[in-house]
Amino acid sequence: MSPKKIIGILAWREGKRFGEPEYLRRLVHAGHLLGAEIFVFSHQDVFASEKKIRGFVPKESGGWESGWFAWPQIVIDRYRRRVPEYMKLRHGGLFDFANSPFSKKWRVTQLLAKDARVKRWIPETHVYAPATLKTMLVKHPILYVKPGNGTGGKSILKVAERGSKYQLSGRDKNYARKTASLSDPEEVGKWVKRWVNEQRIRDGNFLLQQGLDLELVPDCVTDVRLLIQKDKKGEWRVTGCAVRVGEKGSSTSNLHGGGKALPFHLLVSRRFGEERAQKILQECHHMAHQVAMVLEEHFGRMMEFGLDIGVDVQGKTWLIEVNPKPGREVFQQMGALDLYAEAICRPVQYACYLIEEKTKRLTKEVELSSRRRR
Protein backbone atom coordinates (compact mmCIF):
# COMPACT_ATOMS: atom_id res chain seq x y z
CA MET A 1 0.00 0.00 0.00
CA SER A 2 1.48 3.37 -1.06
CA PRO A 3 2.03 5.96 1.71
CA LYS A 4 -0.50 8.77 2.07
CA LYS A 5 0.12 11.85 -0.07
CA ILE A 6 0.55 15.01 2.01
CA ILE A 7 -0.80 18.23 0.46
CA GLY A 8 -0.74 21.70 1.98
CA ILE A 9 -2.88 24.63 0.83
CA LEU A 10 -1.30 28.02 1.50
CA ALA A 11 -3.94 30.71 2.16
CA TRP A 12 -4.42 34.01 3.99
CA ARG A 13 -5.54 33.63 7.61
CA GLU A 14 -6.34 35.99 10.45
CA GLY A 15 -7.21 34.24 13.70
CA LYS A 16 -9.35 31.33 12.55
CA ARG A 17 -10.73 33.28 9.61
CA PHE A 18 -9.52 32.27 6.14
CA GLY A 19 -9.89 34.01 2.80
CA GLU A 20 -12.41 32.12 0.54
CA PRO A 21 -13.31 29.62 3.34
CA GLU A 22 -16.01 27.77 1.38
CA TYR A 23 -13.65 26.92 -1.48
CA LEU A 24 -10.89 25.84 0.94
CA ARG A 25 -13.34 23.53 2.77
CA ARG A 26 -14.29 21.93 -0.55
CA LEU A 27 -10.63 21.53 -1.57
CA VAL A 28 -9.84 19.70 1.68
CA HIS A 29 -12.91 17.49 1.23
CA ALA A 30 -11.83 16.66 -2.38
CA GLY A 31 -8.38 15.71 -1.05
CA HIS A 32 -9.86 13.38 1.57
CA LEU A 33 -11.95 11.66 -1.11
CA LEU A 34 -8.72 11.04 -3.06
CA GLY A 35 -7.10 9.50 0.03
CA ALA A 36 -4.67 12.37 0.67
CA GLU A 37 -3.75 14.03 3.94
CA ILE A 38 -4.60 17.64 3.18
CA PHE A 39 -4.73 20.79 5.28
CA VAL A 40 -4.79 24.59 5.02
CA PHE A 41 -2.05 26.77 6.51
CA SER A 42 -0.78 30.34 6.40
CA HIS A 43 2.62 32.05 6.65
CA GLN A 44 2.43 32.23 10.48
CA ASP A 45 1.96 28.43 10.74
CA VAL A 46 5.39 27.46 9.39
CA PHE A 47 8.13 26.58 11.89
CA ALA A 48 10.98 25.90 9.48
CA SER A 49 13.79 25.25 11.99
CA GLU A 50 11.72 22.55 13.72
CA LYS A 51 10.30 21.31 10.39
CA LYS A 52 6.85 21.63 11.94
CA ILE A 53 3.68 22.97 10.39
CA ARG A 54 0.36 23.90 11.97
CA GLY A 55 -2.51 23.00 9.68
CA PHE A 56 -6.26 23.55 9.71
CA VAL A 57 -9.07 21.27 8.57
CA PRO A 58 -12.78 22.15 8.51
CA LYS A 59 -15.01 20.94 11.33
CA GLU A 60 -18.35 19.37 10.40
CA SER A 61 -20.12 21.87 12.63
CA GLY A 62 -18.44 24.78 10.80
CA GLY A 63 -15.23 26.62 11.61
CA TRP A 64 -11.71 25.14 11.61
CA GLU A 65 -9.73 22.74 13.76
CA SER A 66 -5.96 23.07 14.04
CA GLY A 67 -3.26 20.45 14.59
CA TRP A 68 0.33 19.57 13.76
CA PHE A 69 0.95 18.01 10.35
CA ALA A 70 3.80 16.35 8.50
CA TRP A 71 5.70 18.58 6.05
CA PRO A 72 3.69 18.72 2.78
CA GLN A 73 5.10 17.02 -0.32
CA ILE A 74 3.38 19.62 -2.49
CA VAL A 75 1.71 22.97 -1.74
CA ILE A 76 -1.20 24.58 -3.62
CA ASP A 77 -0.86 28.36 -3.35
CA ARG A 78 -4.21 30.15 -2.87
CA TYR A 79 -2.79 33.16 -1.00
CA ARG A 80 -4.24 36.24 -2.69
CA ARG A 81 -2.52 39.09 -0.83
CA ARG A 82 1.03 40.12 -1.72
CA VAL A 83 2.06 40.92 1.89
CA PRO A 84 5.81 40.74 2.74
CA GLU A 85 5.40 37.64 4.97
CA TYR A 86 3.77 35.76 2.10
CA MET A 87 6.38 36.91 -0.45
CA LYS A 88 9.20 35.79 1.85
CA LEU A 89 7.64 32.37 2.32
CA ARG A 90 6.79 32.03 -1.39
CA HIS A 91 10.40 32.63 -2.44
CA GLY A 92 12.06 30.95 0.55
CA GLY A 93 12.59 27.52 -1.03
CA LEU A 94 10.89 25.69 1.85
CA PHE A 95 8.13 24.08 -0.23
CA ASP A 96 7.56 22.50 -3.60
CA PHE A 97 4.64 24.49 -5.05
CA ALA A 98 2.14 23.17 -7.62
CA ASN A 99 1.86 26.69 -9.09
CA SER A 100 4.62 29.24 -9.70
CA PRO A 101 4.48 32.92 -8.64
CA PHE A 102 2.78 35.15 -11.17
CA SER A 103 3.32 38.75 -12.21
CA LYS A 104 1.22 41.92 -12.21
CA LYS A 105 -1.42 42.35 -14.92
CA TRP A 106 0.62 44.89 -16.87
CA ARG A 107 3.66 42.64 -17.23
CA VAL A 108 1.45 39.73 -18.27
CA THR A 109 -0.37 41.90 -20.85
CA GLN A 110 2.96 43.14 -22.28
CA LEU A 111 4.28 39.62 -22.50
CA LEU A 112 1.19 38.29 -24.30
CA ALA A 113 0.99 41.30 -26.64
CA LYS A 114 4.52 40.53 -27.89
CA ASP A 115 4.05 36.79 -28.43
CA ALA A 116 3.14 35.81 -32.00
CA ARG A 117 0.99 32.89 -30.79
CA VAL A 118 -1.45 35.04 -28.82
CA LYS A 119 -1.06 38.74 -29.66
CA ARG A 120 -4.05 38.78 -32.06
CA TRP A 121 -6.37 38.39 -29.06
CA ILE A 122 -4.95 41.24 -26.94
CA PRO A 123 -6.73 44.63 -26.92
CA GLU A 124 -4.47 47.71 -27.02
CA THR A 125 -3.30 48.36 -23.45
CA HIS A 126 -1.02 51.01 -21.88
CA VAL A 127 -0.03 52.16 -18.40
CA TYR A 128 -2.23 55.12 -17.44
CA ALA A 129 -0.82 58.60 -18.08
CA PRO A 130 -2.90 61.74 -18.78
CA ALA A 131 -1.35 62.16 -22.27
CA THR A 132 -2.00 58.50 -23.14
CA LEU A 133 -5.62 58.85 -22.01
CA LYS A 134 -6.03 61.78 -24.43
CA THR A 135 -4.68 59.72 -27.36
CA MET A 136 -6.75 56.65 -26.47
CA LEU A 137 -9.97 58.72 -26.20
CA VAL A 138 -9.49 59.86 -29.81
CA LYS A 139 -8.64 56.35 -31.00
CA HIS A 140 -11.31 54.21 -29.26
CA PRO A 141 -15.03 54.89 -28.60
CA ILE A 142 -14.84 52.76 -25.42
CA LEU A 143 -11.99 52.69 -22.88
CA TYR A 144 -11.43 50.85 -19.61
CA VAL A 145 -9.36 52.29 -16.77
CA LYS A 146 -8.40 49.41 -14.48
CA PRO A 147 -5.99 48.72 -11.61
CA GLY A 148 -2.93 46.69 -12.60
CA ASN A 149 -3.15 44.73 -9.34
CA GLY A 150 -6.93 44.69 -8.79
CA THR A 151 -9.30 41.76 -8.45
CA GLY A 152 -13.01 41.01 -8.43
CA GLY A 153 -14.04 43.82 -10.79
CA LYS A 154 -13.32 46.57 -8.25
CA SER A 155 -12.13 50.07 -9.29
CA ILE A 156 -12.72 49.46 -13.02
CA LEU A 157 -14.02 52.52 -14.87
CA LYS A 158 -15.65 52.44 -18.30
CA VAL A 159 -15.43 55.56 -20.49
CA ALA A 160 -17.78 55.43 -23.50
CA GLU A 161 -18.31 58.08 -26.15
CA ARG A 162 -22.03 58.56 -26.77
CA GLY A 163 -22.69 61.31 -29.36
CA SER A 164 -21.29 64.56 -27.98
CA LYS A 165 -20.99 63.17 -24.43
CA TYR A 166 -18.69 60.80 -22.55
CA GLN A 167 -20.47 58.41 -20.21
CA LEU A 168 -18.32 57.28 -17.27
CA SER A 169 -19.39 54.37 -15.10
CA GLY A 170 -17.62 52.12 -12.63
CA ARG A 171 -17.58 50.51 -9.21
CA ASP A 172 -15.21 51.75 -6.53
CA LYS A 173 -13.22 49.70 -3.96
CA ASN A 174 -16.45 49.04 -2.04
CA TYR A 175 -18.44 48.06 -5.18
CA ALA A 176 -20.40 51.34 -4.96
CA ARG A 177 -21.63 52.48 -8.39
CA LYS A 178 -20.16 55.78 -9.66
CA THR A 179 -21.30 57.55 -12.86
CA ALA A 180 -20.76 60.82 -14.71
CA SER A 181 -21.79 62.37 -18.02
CA LEU A 182 -19.24 64.86 -19.40
CA SER A 183 -18.95 66.69 -22.72
CA ASP A 184 -15.38 68.03 -22.50
CA PRO A 185 -12.37 65.64 -22.92
CA GLU A 186 -10.45 67.89 -20.46
CA GLU A 187 -13.13 67.22 -17.81
CA VAL A 188 -12.92 63.48 -18.57
CA GLY A 189 -9.14 63.69 -18.01
CA LYS A 190 -9.63 65.37 -14.59
CA TRP A 191 -12.34 62.88 -13.54
CA VAL A 192 -10.18 59.87 -14.52
CA LYS A 193 -7.12 61.33 -12.75
CA ARG A 194 -9.16 61.71 -9.55
CA TRP A 195 -10.50 58.13 -9.94
CA VAL A 196 -6.98 56.72 -10.35
CA ASN A 197 -5.70 58.59 -7.26
CA GLU A 198 -8.66 57.52 -5.09
CA GLN A 199 -8.81 53.92 -6.26
CA ARG A 200 -5.09 53.14 -6.31
CA ILE A 201 -4.18 49.99 -4.36
CA ARG A 202 -0.92 50.60 -2.48
CA ASP A 203 1.71 51.57 -5.11
CA GLY A 204 -0.06 49.80 -7.99
CA ASN A 205 -0.33 51.35 -11.43
CA PHE A 206 -3.49 51.75 -13.52
CA LEU A 207 -3.98 50.49 -17.06
CA LEU A 208 -5.83 52.00 -20.01
CA GLN A 209 -7.36 49.31 -22.21
CA GLN A 210 -9.10 49.52 -25.55
CA GLY A 211 -12.77 49.02 -24.81
CA LEU A 212 -14.78 46.48 -26.75
CA ASP A 213 -18.46 46.47 -27.62
CA LEU A 214 -19.45 43.44 -25.54
CA GLU A 215 -23.17 44.21 -25.26
CA LEU A 216 -24.46 40.88 -26.57
CA VAL A 217 -27.43 41.77 -24.38
CA PRO A 218 -28.62 45.41 -24.79
CA ASP A 219 -27.14 47.76 -22.16
CA CYS A 220 -25.34 44.85 -20.43
CA VAL A 221 -21.63 44.03 -20.62
CA THR A 222 -21.10 40.31 -21.26
CA ASP A 223 -17.96 38.21 -21.20
CA VAL A 224 -16.90 34.58 -21.13
CA ARG A 225 -15.20 33.16 -18.02
CA LEU A 226 -13.24 30.08 -19.07
CA LEU A 227 -11.40 27.79 -16.66
CA ILE A 228 -8.43 25.78 -17.94
CA GLN A 229 -6.73 23.41 -15.47
CA LYS A 230 -4.15 20.65 -15.35
CA ASP A 231 -5.80 17.24 -14.99
CA LYS A 232 -4.75 14.08 -13.11
CA LYS A 233 -2.22 13.29 -15.88
CA GLY A 234 -0.69 16.78 -15.73
CA GLU A 235 -2.22 17.90 -19.04
CA TRP A 236 -4.05 21.17 -19.73
CA ARG A 237 -7.82 20.72 -20.13
CA VAL A 238 -10.62 23.25 -20.43
CA THR A 239 -12.92 22.42 -17.52
CA GLY A 240 -15.73 24.62 -18.78
CA CYS A 241 -16.91 28.14 -19.48
CA ALA A 242 -19.87 30.39 -18.82
CA VAL A 243 -21.11 33.74 -20.04
CA ARG A 244 -21.32 36.43 -17.39
CA VAL A 245 -23.94 39.12 -18.00
CA GLY A 246 -23.42 42.35 -16.09
CA GLU A 247 -26.12 44.27 -14.31
CA LYS A 248 -27.88 46.76 -16.62
CA GLY A 249 -25.70 49.85 -17.05
CA SER A 250 -22.74 48.36 -15.12
CA SER A 251 -19.19 48.77 -16.50
CA THR A 252 -18.28 45.10 -15.87
CA SER A 253 -19.89 41.68 -15.94
CA ASN A 254 -18.46 40.73 -12.55
CA LEU A 255 -20.65 38.54 -10.36
CA HIS A 256 -19.73 40.59 -7.23
CA GLY A 257 -21.18 43.63 -8.99
CA GLY A 258 -24.60 42.04 -9.53
CA GLY A 259 -23.85 40.06 -12.72
CA LYS A 260 -25.28 36.62 -13.47
CA ALA A 261 -23.82 33.50 -15.11
CA LEU A 262 -25.43 31.67 -18.04
CA PRO A 263 -24.42 28.62 -20.10
CA PHE A 264 -22.25 29.64 -23.10
CA HIS A 265 -24.53 28.25 -25.81
CA LEU A 266 -27.69 29.72 -24.36
CA LEU A 267 -26.51 33.26 -25.05
CA VAL A 268 -23.92 32.96 -27.85
CA SER A 269 -26.07 30.67 -30.06
CA ARG A 270 -29.03 32.99 -29.66
CA ARG A 271 -26.88 35.89 -30.86
CA PHE A 272 -24.78 34.27 -33.62
CA GLY A 273 -26.52 30.98 -34.49
CA GLU A 274 -25.45 27.44 -33.56
CA GLU A 275 -22.68 26.97 -36.15
CA ARG A 276 -20.95 30.31 -35.48
CA ALA A 277 -21.28 29.81 -31.71
CA GLN A 278 -19.46 26.47 -32.03
CA LYS A 279 -16.59 28.17 -33.91
CA ILE A 280 -16.37 30.93 -31.28
CA LEU A 281 -16.23 28.27 -28.53
CA GLN A 282 -13.44 26.40 -30.39
CA GLU A 283 -11.46 29.63 -30.66
CA CYS A 284 -11.91 30.30 -26.92
CA HIS A 285 -10.53 26.81 -26.19
CA HIS A 286 -7.62 27.29 -28.61
CA MET A 287 -6.83 30.68 -27.04
CA ALA A 288 -6.84 29.17 -23.53
CA HIS A 289 -4.36 26.42 -24.49
CA GLN A 290 -2.05 28.88 -26.26
CA VAL A 291 -2.14 31.39 -23.38
CA ALA A 292 -1.49 28.65 -20.78
CA MET A 293 1.48 27.40 -22.84
CA VAL A 294 3.02 30.88 -23.26
CA LEU A 295 2.59 31.82 -19.58
CA GLU A 296 3.98 28.52 -18.33
CA GLU A 297 7.07 29.01 -20.51
CA HIS A 298 7.67 32.37 -18.83
CA PHE A 299 6.64 31.79 -15.22
CA GLY A 300 7.30 28.09 -14.70
CA ARG A 301 4.90 25.35 -13.69
CA MET A 302 1.29 26.49 -13.38
CA MET A 303 -1.85 24.67 -12.31
CA GLU A 304 -4.87 26.59 -13.59
CA PHE A 305 -5.97 29.86 -15.19
CA GLY A 306 -9.27 31.71 -15.32
CA LEU A 307 -9.54 33.60 -18.60
CA ASP A 308 -11.92 36.52 -19.06
CA ILE A 309 -12.68 36.49 -22.77
CA GLY A 310 -14.63 39.17 -24.59
CA VAL A 311 -16.83 38.20 -27.53
CA ASP A 312 -17.71 41.46 -29.27
CA VAL A 313 -20.90 42.19 -31.21
CA GLN A 314 -19.14 41.10 -34.44
CA GLY A 315 -18.30 37.69 -32.89
CA LYS A 316 -14.55 38.43 -32.58
CA THR A 317 -12.83 37.03 -29.48
CA TRP A 318 -10.49 39.04 -27.23
CA LEU A 319 -8.48 38.18 -24.13
CA ILE A 320 -9.39 40.67 -21.41
CA GLU A 321 -7.59 39.21 -18.41
CA VAL A 322 -5.86 36.10 -17.02
CA ASN A 323 -6.13 35.06 -13.38
CA PRO A 324 -3.76 32.37 -11.99
CA LYS A 325 -5.88 31.89 -8.83
CA PRO A 326 -9.38 31.93 -10.30
CA GLY A 327 -12.73 31.47 -8.65
CA ARG A 328 -15.16 28.87 -10.02
CA GLU A 329 -18.47 30.18 -8.72
CA VAL A 330 -19.76 30.81 -12.26
CA PHE A 331 -20.46 27.06 -12.60
CA GLN A 332 -22.26 26.96 -9.29
CA GLN A 333 -24.30 30.04 -10.17
CA MET A 334 -25.47 28.70 -13.51
CA GLY A 335 -26.40 25.36 -11.91
CA ALA A 336 -23.62 23.25 -13.54
CA LEU A 337 -22.78 21.47 -10.30
CA ASP A 338 -20.88 18.66 -12.06
CA LEU A 339 -18.50 21.24 -13.60
CA TYR A 340 -18.22 23.01 -10.24
CA ALA A 341 -17.24 19.73 -8.53
CA GLU A 342 -14.70 18.95 -11.27
CA ALA A 343 -13.24 22.47 -11.05
CA ILE A 344 -12.61 21.91 -7.32
CA CYS A 345 -11.27 18.39 -7.72
CA ARG A 346 -8.72 19.07 -10.49
CA PRO A 347 -6.16 21.07 -8.45
CA VAL A 348 -6.01 18.24 -5.89
CA GLN A 349 -5.77 15.58 -8.63
CA TYR A 350 -2.89 17.54 -10.17
CA ALA A 351 -1.15 17.85 -6.77
CA CYS A 352 -1.45 14.04 -6.37
CA TYR A 353 0.00 13.56 -9.87
CA LEU A 354 3.00 15.76 -8.98
CA ILE A 355 3.67 13.74 -5.81
CA GLU A 356 3.49 10.47 -7.79
CA GLU A 357 5.91 11.84 -10.42
CA LYS A 358 8.29 13.03 -7.71
CA THR A 359 8.18 9.60 -6.02
CA LYS A 360 8.92 7.84 -9.34
CA ARG A 361 11.85 10.19 -10.00
CA LEU A 362 13.34 9.64 -6.53
CA THR A 363 12.91 5.85 -6.81
CA LYS A 364 14.74 5.91 -10.16
CA GLU A 365 17.57 8.01 -8.70
CA VAL A 366 17.97 5.57 -5.76
CA GLU A 367 18.06 2.59 -8.17
CA LEU A 368 20.67 4.29 -10.39
CA SER A 369 22.81 5.21 -7.43
CA SER A 370 22.71 1.63 -6.02
CA ARG A 371 23.65 0.24 -9.45
CA ARG A 372 26.66 2.55 -9.63
CA ARG A 373 27.83 1.38 -6.20
CA ARG A 374 27.73 -2.32 -7.22
Side-chain angles (χ1 to χ4, degrees), residues 18 36 72 107 167 187 220 235 248 307 370:
F18 281 100
R107 189 174 162 223
Q167 303 296 337
E187 287 301 310
C220 295
E235 288 167 7
K248 236 176 177 35
L307 273 68
S370 67

Side-chain angles (χ1 to χ4, degrees), residues 66-128:
S66 67
W68 295 105
F69 285 82
W71 205 256
Q73 293 158 290
I74 206 87
V75 172
I76 295 170
D77 181 4
R78 282 301 295 189
Y79 208 111
R80 294 171 109 175
R81 299 181 182 205
R82 295 173 75 88
V83 295
E85 299 88 343
Y86 159 72
M87 298 303 281
K88 190 179 169 190
L89 182 65
R90 192 63 180 87
H91 298 281
L94 288 173
F95 300 111
D96 188 7
F97 285 95
N99 45 337
S100 299
F102 206 58
S103 194
K104 287 186 178 175
K105 286 178 190 175
W106 172 233
R107 189 174 162 223
V108 172
T109 303
Q110 278 182 308
L111 196 152
L112 295 172
K114 286 176 188 164
D115 195 290
R117 290 165 288 182
V118 294
K119 65 181 182 184
R120 67 183 180 276
W121 293 304
I122 313 298
E124 186 183 351
T125 310
H126 301 279
V127 168
Y128 163 78

Side-chain angles (χ1 to χ4, degrees), residues 60-318:
E60 271 190 40
S61 56
W64 298 85
E65 192 176 350
S66 67
W68 295 105
F69 285 82
W71 205 256
Q73 293 158 290
I74 206 87
V75 172
I76 295 170
D77 181 4
R78 282 301 295 189
Y79 208 111
R80 294 171 109 175
R81 299 181 182 205
R82 295 173 75 88
V83 295
E85 299 88 343
Y86 159 72
M87 298 303 281
K88 190 179 169 190
L89 182 65
R90 192 63 180 87
H91 298 281
L94 288 173
F95 300 111
D96 188 7
F97 285 95
N99 45 337
S100 299
F102 206 58
S103 194
K104 287 186 178 175
K105 286 178 190 175
W106 172 233
R107 189 174 162 223
V108 172
T109 303
Q110 278 182 308
L111 196 152
L112 295 172
K114 286 176 188 164
D115 195 290
R117 290 165 288 182
V118 294
K119 65 181 182 184
R120 67 183 180 276
W121 293 304
I122 313 298
E124 186 183 351
T125 310
H126 301 279
V127 168
Y128 163 78
T132 315
L133 174 66
K134 221 177 245 184
T135 312
M136 292 278 275
L137 281 174
V138 173
K139 213 169 170 187
H140 302 293
I142 305 171
L143 268 191
Y144 279 95
V145 184
K146 56 205 279 192
N149 55 350
T151 182
K154 286 190 273 194
S155 307
I156 296 174
L157 180 71
K158 180 185 180 183
V159 183
E161 197 180 341
R162 298 270 188 264
S164 61
K165 296 252 184 199
Y166 291 94
Q167 303 296 337
L168 285 69
S169 61
R171 288 186 182 274
D172 66 13
K173 288 176 182 176
N174 304 312
Y175 291 114
R177 175 84 75 70
K178 304 287 178 184
T179 59
S181 180
L182 306 167
S183 47
D184 181 6
E186 293 295 322
E187 287 301 310
V188 174
K190 284 178 194 168
W191 211 96
V192 171
K193 190 175 185 179
R194 198 163 55 244
W195 176 270
V196 167
N197 290 334
E198 286 171 3
Q199 300 300 314
R200 197 183 295 280
I201 304 165
R202 297 182 297 279
D203 61 342
N205 57 13
F206 263 72
L207 305 180
L208 295 172
Q209 191 168 70
Q210 169 193 351
L212 310 165
D213 191 347
L214 304 177
E215 290 189 5
L216 299 186
V217 173
D219 202 28
C220 295
V221 172
T222 61
D223 70 8
V224 175
R225 165 50 73 95
L226 181 146
L227 183 64
I228 185 167
Q229 300 175 293
K230 293 265 187 77
D231 65 8
K232 60 184 176 188
K233 293 179 180 173
E235 288 167 7
W236 285 110
R237 299 255 178 242
V238 173
T239 305
C241 65
V243 176
R244 300 183 303 182
V245 181
E247 197 179 33
K248 236 176 177 35
S250 174
S251 61
T252 71
S253 64
N254 213 278
L255 301 184
H256 297 292
K260 59 181 179 185
L262 299 170
F264 180 90
H265 276 290
L266 190 70
L267 196 125
V268 183
S269 301
R270 193 188 298 159
R271 175 77 196 218
F272 298 106
E274 190 58 46
E275 196 181 326
R276 184 92 192 278
Q278 196 52 44
K279 281 187 178 152
I280 292 169
L281 182 63
Q282 281 167 4
E283 185 166 4
C284 290
H285 280 228
H286 178 55
M287 180 200 295
H289 280 278
Q290 293 294 309
V291 166
M293 193 195 308
V294 170
L295 292 177
E296 204 165 34
E297 282 171 18
H298 283 272
F299 294 104
R301 182 169 75 199
M302 301 305 281
M303 182 178 73
E304 59 183 355
F305 290 110
L307 273 68
D308 291 347
I309 299 170
V311 177
D312 69 21
V313 291
Q314 308 300 321
K316 181 169 165 39
T317 54
W318 301 84

